[in-house]
Amino acid sequence: MTVATLKTTPERLLARDRRALARLITWAENAHPRFPGALREIYGHVGRARRLGVTGPPGVGKSTLCNGLVSCLRERGSEVGVLAVDPSSPFTGGALLGDRIRMESHTKDPGVFVRSMASRDSHGGLARAAVDACDVMDAFGFDELILETVGVGQAEYDIVSAADTVIVVLCPGAGDSVQAMKAGLLEVADVLVVNKNDAPGADRLVSDLEDAVALRRESRDGWTTPVVRSSAGRGLGLEDVLAAVEQQRTFLGSAGLAARRRKMRVAQVQRTVGELLVQALWSDGCRVEFIKTALASGRPPYDVADEMRDQIL
Amino acid sequence: MQMTERKIRVLIGKPGLDGHDRGAKTVASVLRDHGMEVIYTGLHQTPAEIAEAAAQEDVDVVGLSILSGAHMTLFPRVREELVSRGMGEILMVGGGIIPAEDAETLRNDGFARLFGPGTNTDEIAEWIATEMKQRFEEEGDDQ
Ligand SMILES: Nc1nc2c(ncn2[C@@H]2O[C@H](COP(=O)(O)OP(=O)(O)OP(=O)(O)O)[C@@H](O)[C@H]2O)c(=O)[nH]1
Ligand SMILES: [Mg+2]
C-alpha cells in the first residue's frame, strides 16, 4: 500500500489528486453520508475560484461556447474546471450527458477538468449538487469554474445563486427577444451573448436585445448588460465574451462579489434547511394520517394546513 | 443529508478510427431508457482520452464499441490506461464483431462481458443493471 492510499479523500483532494476530486463530486452527487464531513475539511480552501455561469435555451451553443472559453482561459494560464448539467428524463430517471462531447479537445489537458452531471430531481436548471461540486473544484485549486445549465425554458434560474457572473446565450432562430424577456432571461444576464452570429437573423436579434436592455429601468446591481456576438462553432468572438465578463467583474469589484457570494450561501443554507425540515416532517407517518382524517371529515384544505402548522410551530 | 438512490453512471467510448457510431449511440440511449446516466465521448477517441474522461466523470461502467476489428489492440490499451488511473476495478464491457477466441482472451484481461452484433440491447442494459446493483450492495457506503 502506498502512502497515498492511507490519506483520506479530502486530504488527497487538497494534495491535488484528480481521482479524489472526481470521487468527492460523486459523494456530493449521491448525498453520501461522508460528504458533509469532507466539505468541512476542505471548506477553508473554498472561495478563490471565479464562477462563471452559462445558461440559455436548448441548443443555442452553450457547450460549444464553454469549450471556446476554456481555450481562451487556458491561453491566459488559468486552470479551469467545468461542470456541465444536462436534464434527467422525468420518466426513467436516466440521462444522456452530451455536453462533454463538445469539450473533448480539452480531455488530455491536465489544466482542465470537465464533469457532466444530470439534473436528477432538480428543476431549476442545475443539479442539487452543482454548488457542492463547484466547492470541491474550487478547493482543488482551479482559477476559473464554468457551470453550464441545462437548456432552460421559462423559469429555471438556479444559476443566479451558483455563479458570480451569468452569461445568457441566445441565438437566431431559437425564439426572439420577446420570448427571452418573458422568460426573465434578460434579468439574470450579466452578459448577453448572441451566438451563431454566422446564422441569418443575428443582426436583428442583437438590435432587439439592445433595445430591450436599454428599456429596462433597473438592472441587477446597476450594471448595464452588454450584448456580445459570437460564433463559438467557428471559434469567433470568444475573446469579446471574455472581455465583457472581465468588465463586469471589474464593475462588481471585490465588495460586490463578496455581497453576491454571501447571498448565494444564505440561499443555499435556507434551501438545505427547507429540505431537512420537509424530510423530518414527513418521515413521521402520523402527520399524513392526521391530514387524511381531517380531510375525510369534510374540512377544507387550508384549515387543515393551518391547524397542522399551529401544532408544529 | 439523506443518501439518494445511487444512479449507474456509464461512459460509452469509441476508440480507434472506424466511423460507425450508430451502435454506440443506440446502446447509449437504451441505457438511458433503463435509468442510467450515460456519457458518450464521440468518435475517434484514443485509449488515453477515453480513460481520462472516465476518470473525470467517475463512472461505474465503461463500454467500448469497435467495428474495425482492432479490438485486440485497443480494448486492452483502454484497460491499461484505466488501471494506471487507479480505475482497475471498474466494470468494463465491449461490443463489436469479436470472434470467440478473442472474447475469451479479453475476458481474462478484465472485460466482464463482450456483446456481439446481434445482442438484444435491453439484455445489455439489464445485465449491467444487475451486475451494478450487486456491486453497489457490496460496496455499501464504502464507495
Ligand atoms: N452555425 C453555428 N452553429 C453553432 C455555433 N455554435 C454551436 N453551434 C451548433 O449548435 C448545436 C448545439 O450546440 P451545443 O453547444 O451543443 O448547444 P447547447 O446550448 O450546449 O445545447 P444543450 O446543452 O443541449 O442545451 C451544435 O450542432 C453546434 O455545432 C455557431 O457559432 N454557429
Ligand atoms: Mg450543452
Side-chain angles (χ1 to χ4, degrees):
Chain A
M1 208 188 269
T2 62
V3 178
T5 58
L6 296 172
K7 286 198 192 167
T8 67
T9 310
E11 281 170 344
R12 281 168 39 225
L13 176 95
L14 296 176
R16 300 189 57 95
D17 173 346
R18 286 163 72 94
R19 277 295 290 151
L21 168 60
R23 183 49 51 92
L24 278 177
I25 296 175
T26 304
W27 283 6
E29 198 174 20
N30 292 341
H32 190 281
R34 281 198 217 140
F35 183 73
L39 183 63
R40 194 179 306 127
E41 275 186 62
I42 64 174
Y43 199 65
H45 300 265
V46 173
R48 208 181 56 89
R50 305 303 300 252
R51 301 183 184 193
L52 181 59
V54 177
T55 191
V60 292
K62 296 180 293 297
S63 302
T64 312
L65 181 74
C66 290
N67 180 55
L69 294 177
V70 171
S71 304
C72 294
L73 290 167
R74 290 296 292 141
E75 275 168 31
R76 299 170 188 210
S78 298
E79 297 197 354
V80 191
V82 180
L83 182 75
V85 185
D86 263 325
S88 296
S89 158
F91 305 108
T92 65
L96 266 183
L97 306 175
D99 293 325
R100 182 178 193 102
I101 205 165
R102 315 266 181 228
M103 310 181 205
E104 240 2 276
S105 63
H106 297 292
T107 292
K108 277 195 300 188
D109 179 348
V112 179
F113 184 93
V114 177
R115 181 65 175 244
S116 314
M117 198 176 261
S119 63
R120 297 197 179 170
D121 40 20
S122 295
H123 302 286
L126 286 175
R128 183 196 49 78
V131 173
D132 294 334
C134 287
D135 288 346
V136 170
M137 292 195 284
D138 191 339
F140 180 84
F142 290 110
D143 305 295
E144 301 272 350
L145 301 181
I146 300 181
L147 274 105
E148 179 186 342
T149 71
V150 307
V152 297
Q154 301 202 319
E156 297 108 327
Y157 309 121
D158 280 358
I159 192 65
V160 176
S161 48
D164 302 327
T165 303
V166 177
I167 296 180
V168 170
V169 188
L170 299 168
C171 77
D176 59 17
S177 63
V178 175
Q179 279 171 300
M181 280 193 280
K182 206 166 67 171
L185 280 173
L186 263 46
E187 284 137 84
V188 308
D190 294 305
V191 174
L192 274 166
V193 171
V194 172
N195 189 43
K196 307 195 189 182
N197 188 43
D198 51 286
D203 291 343
R204 175 71 197 277
L205 180 58
V206 169
S207 76
D208 282 358
L209 287 172
E210 281 170 346
D211 290 348
V213 169
L215 278 172
R216 281 184 53 203
R217 258 180 250 127
E218 211 173 83
S219 52
R220 201 149 68 113
D221 317 296
W223 156 258
T224 308
T225 305
V227 182
V228 187
R229 297 169 188 256
S230 71
S231 287
R234 301 176 180 192
L236 299 172
L238 302 163
E239 285 293 343
D240 297 338
V241 174
L242 219 46
V245 169
E246 268 156 19
Q247 276 166 25
Q248 189 269 349
R249 285 175 177 176
T250 308
F251 174 86
L252 205 57
S254 54
L257 177 65
R260 268 195 186 190
R261 286 184 171 180
R262 268 196 307 274
K263 249 169 120 174
M264 291 190 248
R265 287 294 174 198
V266 171
Q268 187 188 5
V269 173
Q270 283 184 311
R271 194 168 58 239
T272 309
V273 170
E275 286 164 9
L276 292 173
L277 288 179
V278 164
Q279 260 171 33
L281 196 58
W282 303 121
S283 64
D284 180 355
C286 297
R287 297 214 167 85
V288 181
E289 283 313 311
F290 168 83
I291 295 174
K292 281 186 192 160
T293 316
L295 289 173
S297 71
R299 296 178 57 200
Y302 292 110
D303 293 355
V304 178
D306 279 344
E307 184 180 340
M308 178 151 243
R309 182 204 50 210
D310 294 341
Q311 273 180 20
I312 293 163
L313 295 179
Chain B
M1 262 200 277
Q2 200 168 59
M3 186 112 177
T4 49
E5 180 215 351
R6 188 128 168 234
K7 289 276 175 201
I8 301 169
R9 284 170 64 86
V10 187
L11 183 137
I12 301 290
K14 265 207 73 73
L17 298 176
D18 82 88
H20 306 283
D21 66 351
R22 247 185 80 185
K25 283 178 172 164
T26 306
V27 170
S29 61
V30 170
L31 296 183
R32 190 261 319 265
D33 292 342
H34 279 76
M36 298 178 207
E37 295 178 349
V38 189
I39 299 145
Y40 171 53
T41 48
L43 288 168
H44 309 315
Q45 297 290 295
T46 66
E49 283 167 338
I50 291 173
E52 181 56 32
Q56 292 180 17
E57 300 289 355
D58 198 19
V59 289
D60 308 299
V61 185
V62 169
L64 301 177
S65 154
I66 297 192
L67 296 174
S68 68
H71 49 265
M72 289 313 278
T73 48
L74 290 172
F75 279 13
R77 281 188 48 215
V78 174
R79 171 140 187 94
E80 279 162 31
E81 293 283 351
L82 282 166
V83 169
S84 77
R85 286 169 176 78
M87 297 186 76
E89 301 294 300
I90 203 168
L91 180 63
M92 292 195 73
V93 297
I97 306 161
I98 300 163
E101 66 263 36
D102 289 359
E104 186 59 33
T105 313
L106 291 170
R107 263 196 299 276
N108 291 328
D109 197 23
F111 283 79
R113 275 291 294 265
L114 295 144
F115 299 101
T119 320
N120 178 319
T121 45
D122 286 317
E123 265 169 41
I124 300 179
E126 278 152 26
W127 184 84
I128 292 175
T130 312
E131 181 70 22
M132 283 316 304
K133 191 164 175 257
Q134 200 180 331
R135 286 188 176 214
F136 284 164
E137 273 164 18
E138 281 163 16
E139 271 178 37
D141 279 355
D142 218 26
Q143 55 174 278

